[in-house]
């Protein structure tokens, strides 16, 4: 094939493999070459495992040549956020403290993707300890949004979004505590999804907030995203009649969304998405979620992240937190000092939202929200406090969520769909249908 192999999604790759037009070794080499060319400027990868990747690619090629692929992801290249354990390579969690940390076991999320035949290219840059949303990492470098020089890719899974957007890998895994998969997906113009919090094991992943943490993939197409999530969930992706999934879909709009100042392009994209849904036959309606206050609930989620993060890192490193930046030390020490009243208030806020979720979703199938209130910003600018105002709702509910880019001029804008906890399969169908949503 003369086509750039890094541009192909998983379905196109499987077709090319079946026709003998290329093989996983050639695809892996093409991605490794692009990483070598592009990563010095982007700083998306912090570790490239060329030898392992080629070994896995050769094994995949042998299976495909023998007519025995492991499934639709066999021979598809991926990369992992560097808080996900892989035996034989460091897992730093974006910190100097863990620069030499070598895991003894593979994380289950990696095992599931590896056992599906995916090829691991390496580990990806992230915000230090996953506590932040810019991926301006003081140890492993400032990750750059490939769509605008000098701009953040978001975070904390910024390297994951940048790598997918710049075709350094087909699929990337991230983790999401308050939007850390979906925010960078939004800033980099790709898709991101998180599952119901309890449906994917988080063992072998350096935690930030066990109450809120969840792992999820990023991809350039809804089909790739859905195939990967189905693999992680241990289910088979059902065929989808893409046009029909929107007809009769009950879509909820929360009035409190307007409490957050949003850029005009974000508001236009949100409105355009509602109109497109109605054109395709969905029922868009206002729903009420009495206890949801975007800014207040985001603060509760942040406090929980700080105190649960403090519990982990103080236990791991001791009271001085050696090997962490001064800024991160300050946040964690603040979290450690939070009294029981503030901890109880944050937990009560989360419990209250989860208690109301059943009533909210009783008359709708999904909620539609913008993903972020603004587009990617320059690394030299202060991070807006409201970045996670909408995104963290899914984490607080423990609910699945799917973010997707919307047509716009300039930097990407994004919306997200949230389903009730346990309704992941619905979002998988919608993810596939999003590939033709704007056609």
């Amino acid at each position: 094939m003369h086509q750039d192999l890094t541009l192909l999604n998983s379905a196109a790759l499987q077709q090319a493999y079946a026709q003998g037009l290329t093989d996983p070794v050639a695809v892996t080499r093409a991605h490794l070459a692009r990483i070598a060319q592009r990563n010095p400027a982007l700083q998306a990868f912090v570790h490239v495992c060329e030898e392992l990747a080629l070994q896995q690619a050769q094994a995949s090629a042998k299976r495909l040549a023998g007519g025995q692929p492991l499934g639709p992801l066999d021979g598809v290249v991926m990369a992992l956020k560097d808080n996900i354990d892989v035996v034989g390579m460091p897992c730093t969690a974006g910190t100097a403290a863990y620069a030499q940390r070598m895991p003894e076991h593979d994380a289950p999320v990696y095992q599931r993707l590896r056992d599906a035949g995916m090829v691991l290219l390496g580990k990806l840059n992230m915000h230090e300890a996953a506590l932040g949303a810019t991926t301006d990492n003081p140890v492993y470098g400032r990750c750059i949004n490939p769509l605008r020089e000098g701009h953040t890719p978001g975070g904390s899974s910024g390297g994951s979004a940048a790598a997918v957007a710049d075709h350094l890998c087909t699929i990337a895994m991230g983790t999401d505590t308050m939007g850390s998969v979906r925010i960078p997906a939004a800033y980099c113009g790709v898709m991101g999804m998180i599952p119901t919090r309890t449906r994917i094991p988080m063992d072998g992943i350096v935690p930030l907030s066990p109450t809120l943490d969840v792992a999820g993939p990023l991809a350039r197409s809804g089909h790739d995203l859905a195939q990967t999530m189905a693999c992680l969930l241990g289910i088979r992706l059902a065929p989808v009649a893409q046009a029909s999934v929107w007809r009769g879909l009950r879509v909820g709009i929360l009035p409190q969304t307007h409490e957050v100042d949003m850029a005009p392009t974000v508001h236009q994209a949100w409105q355009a998405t509602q109109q497109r849904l109605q054109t395709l036959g969905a029922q868009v309606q206002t729903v009420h979620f009495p206890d949801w206050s975007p800014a207040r609930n985001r603060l509760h989620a942040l406090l929980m992240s700080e105190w649960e993060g403090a519990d982990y890192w103080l236990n791991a490193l001791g009271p001085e937190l050696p090997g962490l930046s001064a800024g991160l030390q300050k946040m964690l020490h603040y979290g450690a000092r939070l009294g029981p009243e503030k901890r109880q208030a944050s937990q009560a806020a989360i419990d209250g939202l989860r208690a109301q979720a059943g009533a909210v979703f009783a008359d709708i199938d999904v909620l539609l929200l913008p993903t972020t209130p603004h587009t990617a910003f320059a690394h030299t600018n202060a991070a807006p406090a409201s970045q996670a105002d909408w995104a963290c709702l899914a984490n607080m509910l423990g609910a699945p969520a799917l973010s997707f880019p919307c047509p716009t001029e300039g930097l990407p804008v994004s919306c997200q769909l949230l389903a009730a906890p346990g309704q992941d399969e619905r979002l998988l169908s919608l993810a596939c249908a999003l590939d033709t949503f704007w056609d």
Side-chain angles (χ1 to χ4, degrees), residues 405-423:
C406 304
T408 190
E409 296 182 3
L411 287 167
V413 294
S414 170
C415 285
Q416 58 178 329
L417 296 168
L418 278 66
Q423 294 297 307

Side-chain angles (χ1 to χ4, degrees), residues 129-380:
L131 189 51
T134 65
T135 315
D136 189 359
N137 190 289
V139 184
Y140 303 101
R142 171 179 283 180
C143 187
I144 300 298
N145 190 322
L147 304 182
R148 184 69 60 88
E149 185 176 356
H151 279 52
T152 178
S156 61
S157 308
S160 302
V164 169
D166 204 53
H167 302 267
L168 306 187
C169 57
T170 306
I171 305 290
M173 282 298 297
T175 60
D176 191 307
T177 305
M178 294 176 59
S180 288
V181 163
R182 292 159 291 139
I183 291 170
Y187 289 172
C188 292
V190 300
M191 301 179 73
M193 184 176 177
I194 59 171
T196 298
R197 187 181 61 86
T198 56
R199 290 192 65 176
I200 291 180
M202 294 297 288
D203 308 270
I205 299 177
V206 179
L208 176 60
S209 171
T211 302
L212 303 173
D213 291 345
V214 66
L218 299 90
R220 294 186 298 273
S221 79
H223 180 267
D224 283 0
L225 197 72
Q227 285 285 12
T228 308
M229 184 59 79
C231 173
L232 292 165
L233 293 171
I235 62 176
R236 183 177 295 275
L237 185 64
V240 175
Q242 296 195 0
S244 66
V245 301
W246 306 111
R247 284 197 292 272
L249 185 74
R250 300 171 303 167
V251 180
I253 303 297
L254 295 171
Q256 299 99 309
T257 306
H258 291 284
E259 294 177 9
V260 183
D261 289 335
M262 65 182 97
T265 54
V266 173
H267 186 264
Q268 291 163 10
W270 186 44
Q271 295 294 320
T273 304
Q274 295 177 49
Q275 293 166 6
R276 183 62 178 157
L277 284 165
Q278 291 174 319
T279 299
L280 293 172
Q283 302 168 12
V284 179
Q285 57 192 296
T286 298
V287 294
H288 298 285
F289 203 152
D291 279 3
W292 184 53
S293 171
R296 185 179 72 241
N297 288 133
R298 181 250 306 161
L299 287 172
H300 283 307
L302 179 59
L303 290 177
M304 175 162 282
S305 299
E306 289 176 330
W307 100 60
E308 290 194 334
D311 289 346
Y312 172 79
W313 285 104
L314 287 167
N315 182 66
L317 302 178
E320 299 303 317
L321 296 174
L324 303 184
S325 69
L328 178 57
Q329 289 176 349
K330 182 178 180 180
M331 293 177 75
L332 295 176
H333 281 133
Y334 175 80
R337 291 194 301 270
L338 286 174
E341 298 84 5
K342 288 189 175 181
R343 296 190 181 208
Q344 290 167 7
S346 292
Q347 186 64 60
I350 292 171
D351 293 342
L353 290 173
R354 292 180 179 179
Q356 290 181 0
V360 172
F361 284 101
D363 297 319
I364 60 169
D365 300 311
V366 292
L367 288 168
L368 173 69
L369 293 159
T371 306
T372 62
H374 44 260
T375 59
F377 50 91
H379 270 298
T380 52

